[in-house]
Amino acid sequence: MELIEKKSIAAKIAPKLRMLCSAEGLAGVKFTADKKRGAKETTVESVLSVYEGGAEEIYVENVGTFSIYPVYPGASLAGKIAIVTGSAQGFGAGIAEYLAANGCKVCVADMNAAGAEAKAAEISEKYGIEAISVGANVTDEESVKNMVDETVCAFGGLDIFVNNAGIVRAGSLEEMTKQNFELVTSVDYTAFFICTKYAVQPMKLQREIAPEYMADVIEINSKSGLEGSNKNFAYAGAKFGGIGLTQSFALELAPYGIKVNAICPGNFLDGPLWSDPEKGLFVQYLNAGKVPGAKTIADVRAFYEAKVPLGRGCRVEDVTRAILYIVEQKYETGQAIPVTGGQTMLN
Ligand SMILES: NC(=O)c1ccc[n+]([C@@H]2O[C@H](COP(=O)([O-])OP(=O)(O)OC[C@H]3O[C@@H](n4cnc5c(N)ncnc54)[C@H](O)[C@@H]3O)[C@@H](O)[C@H]2O)c1
C-alpha cells in the first residue's frame, strides 16, 4: 500500500483514538507508517476495541503505528490541534504563533512551502510546542486533503481550522480581467468550501466518540465582506460570499458540534500587504494617486488611519482576541465578528 493511502486510513482512525483517550481532546496521537517494537497489534476493524486507555502504541496491520500520549492542561488551548492556512506570513503567521503560545499544536500551511517550514521551525523553537508545516495550495482539492491528513497523522485530530489564506487583486470594472477575478474568487471564496469539506472530517470523527466535544471552523474574512469596496469588487464579492458560506456551514455543522464563524478585520496597516516597501498597498496607492494630496507613504497611512474611530490599523492581537473568544464560547455559530476599530458597524 502507498504511504499516501496509509495516511488516508490513519486519518480516519487517529481522531477516534484521540477522543477515546480524553473526551476533552487533551491527548495527542502520532502516526508512523512503520511497525514499532512492542506495539499492540490489531486490524483496522478492531483498532478501537483494542485501545484500553492510558498512553500506548498500537500497530494496525498493513497501515502503521499509532502512538498515543496524554497532554496535561495548563495553557488555555492545551492539547488543541489547529491548521492555519496562509500562515507563512501576515495575519496567518501571527495567528499560528498565538495559538502555539497558548498550548495549541499547529500546522503552518501555505503555498510558500519554504516560508511555512521556516515559520513552523520558529514556532517550535520559540514556544516549545509541536508545529509542522505543509506546502498546500488551498484551491487544489488533493493538496487540501493532504494538508488535513498530514496534520491528523502528526497530531491525532483537528479542533480549530483557520481559513486565512487570501489574496487581493484590486481594480475597476475597466481594469479587472476575468482571469484575475477568477483567481481572487478561487482563493478567497471557493477555497473556503474545499478546505471546510476536508477539515470537518476529523472533527466529525472526534464527535462520534465524544458527543459533547466542540470544534471550530474560523474564516478570516474582512470588513470588505460586510460592505462594498470601491474598485475592489472581486475581493469584496468573494468575502461577502464567505459570509454566506459561514452561515450555511454553521447550519449544516451545528449537529456535529462544529461552530463556524467569521472574523472581519479592518486594514492590517503594519502587515506585508500594506507595508511591503516595493509592492505594498501604501506604495501602490501613493503611485496611483488614489489618496488626494498624498505626497508620502506616511500621508497615505494617515488617510487610512483617519477612517478608523479608534484611530489605528488592525493588529494581529486584535484578531487573535476574537479567535480566543470564538473558541472558548460554546453558544454562537454562523456569526461574522467585525474587528475594525469601529470602522464597520453591524446593523
Ligand atoms: N491585510 C489586511 O489589511 C487584511 C484586512 C482584512 C482581512 N484580511 C484577510 O486576512 C487574510 C490574511 O491576509 P494577510 O494580509 O495576512 O495576507 P498576506 O498576503 O500577508 O499573506 C497571505 C498568505 O497566504 C498565502 N497564500 C496565498 N494564496 C494561497 C493559496 N492558494 N494556497 C495557500 N496559501 C496561499 C501566501 O503565500 C501568504 O503567505 C486574508 O484572508 C485577507 O483577506 C487582510
Side-chain angles (χ1 to χ4, degrees):
M1 201 191 297
E2 297 277 331
L3 179 60
I4 194 158
E5 284 175 69
K6 291 184 178 183
K7 286 193 171 179
S8 190
I9 295 171
K12 295 189 175 72
I13 295 173
K16 292 187 174 182
L17 278 176
R18 175 173 176 244
M19 302 315 277
L20 280 173
C21 183
S22 157
E24 281 88 50
L26 286 170
V29 175
K30 192 177 178 70
F31 173 73
T32 36
D34 30 275
K35 184 174 177 177
K36 287 207 179 159
R37 271 179 43 180
K40 197 179 274 181
E41 294 195 28
T42 187
T43 57
V44 171
E45 292 73 33
S46 47
V47 56
L48 295 185
S49 54
V50 161
Y51 180 72
E52 286 160 357
E56 55 182 297
E57 291 190 326
I58 298 176
Y59 172 70
V60 176
E61 210 175 73
N62 300 323
V63 182
T65 305
F66 296 83
S67 309
I68 303 165
Y69 48 93
V71 172
Y72 298 100
S76 58
L77 300 176
K80 296 255 186 212
I81 299 163
I83 296 175
V84 185
T85 65
S87 50
Q89 65 167 49
F91 271 144
I95 293 166
E97 279 207 32
Y98 171 83
L99 292 172
N102 285 280
C104 193
K105 285 168 266 189
V106 288
C107 168
V108 178
D110 204 292
M111 208 161 73
N112 171 3
E117 194 181 342
K119 182 50 72 179
E122 184 193 323
I123 288 174
S124 299
E125 163 107 23
K126 200 160 155 189
Y127 301 103
I129 204 96
E130 285 177 275
I132 60 163
S133 69
V134 177
N137 179 352
V138 292
T139 65
D140 179 297
E141 194 162 356
E142 215 170 294
S143 180
V144 168
K145 180 180 184 320
N146 177 61
M147 167 183 85
V148 174
D149 285 353
E150 287 289 336
T151 306
V152 175
C153 287
F155 300 140
L158 185 62
D159 305 303
I160 304 169
F161 174 71
V162 184
N163 190 86
N164 168 80
I167 57 169
V168 183
R169 295 288 184 276
S172 65
L173 280 165
E174 283 183 18
E175 293 155 344
M176 180 64 68
T177 61
K178 185 164 176 273
Q179 195 185 18
N180 269 346
F181 184 84
E182 286 177 347
L183 175 66
V184 172
T185 307
S186 72
V187 180
D188 293 355
Y189 177 68
T190 312
F192 182 30
F193 146 65
I194 299 172
C195 288
T196 303
K197 183 182 173 84
Y198 289 95
V200 300
Q201 291 178 7
M203 294 174 177
K204 286 181 177 175
L205 295 173
Q206 288 166 174
R207 177 83 169 186
E208 270 181 41
I209 300 295
E212 300 295 315
Y213 196 65
M214 298 188 87
D216 285 278
V217 170
I218 302 172
E219 195 215 6
I220 303 303
N221 198 284
S222 170
K223 69 177 168 52
S224 302
L226 299 172
E227 61 184 20
S229 182
N230 189 19
K231 297 183 182 167
N232 195 16
F233 55 83
Y235 181 74
K239 292 293 187 181
F240 265 69
I243 307 280
L245 296 181
T246 297
Q247 294 185 2
S248 307
F249 293 157
L251 293 171
E252 179 176 333
L253 296 168
Y256 301 95
I258 302 169
K259 297 170 276 158
V260 186
N261 291 288
I263 293 173
C264 301
N267 296 327
F268 179 25
L269 300 181
D270 294 327
L273 181 80
W274 285 83
S275 290
D276 186 285
E278 275 154 36
K279 48 185 176 52
L281 293 178
F282 287 139
V283 181
Q284 285 186 45
Y285 290 170
L286 181 65
N287 294 342
K290 188 169 160 163
V291 176
K295 294 195 176 55
T296 63
I297 281 176
D299 294 339
V300 181
R301 188 184 177 103
F303 175 81
Y304 282 95
E305 282 173 347
K307 288 174 180 271
V308 185
L310 289 175
R312 63 168 173 84
C314 184
R315 295 176 185 149
V316 169
E317 60 264 33
D318 300 311
V319 173
T320 55
R321 280 186 192 110
I323 288 183
L324 189 62
Y325 161 69
I326 285 175
V327 172
E328 286 191 333
Q329 62 80 27
K330 303 289 176 230
Y331 196 54
E332 204 55 270
T333 191
Q335 304 301 330
I337 301 171
V339 182
T340 67
Q343 192 176 354
T344 304
M345 297 185 186
L346 296 179
N347 48 34

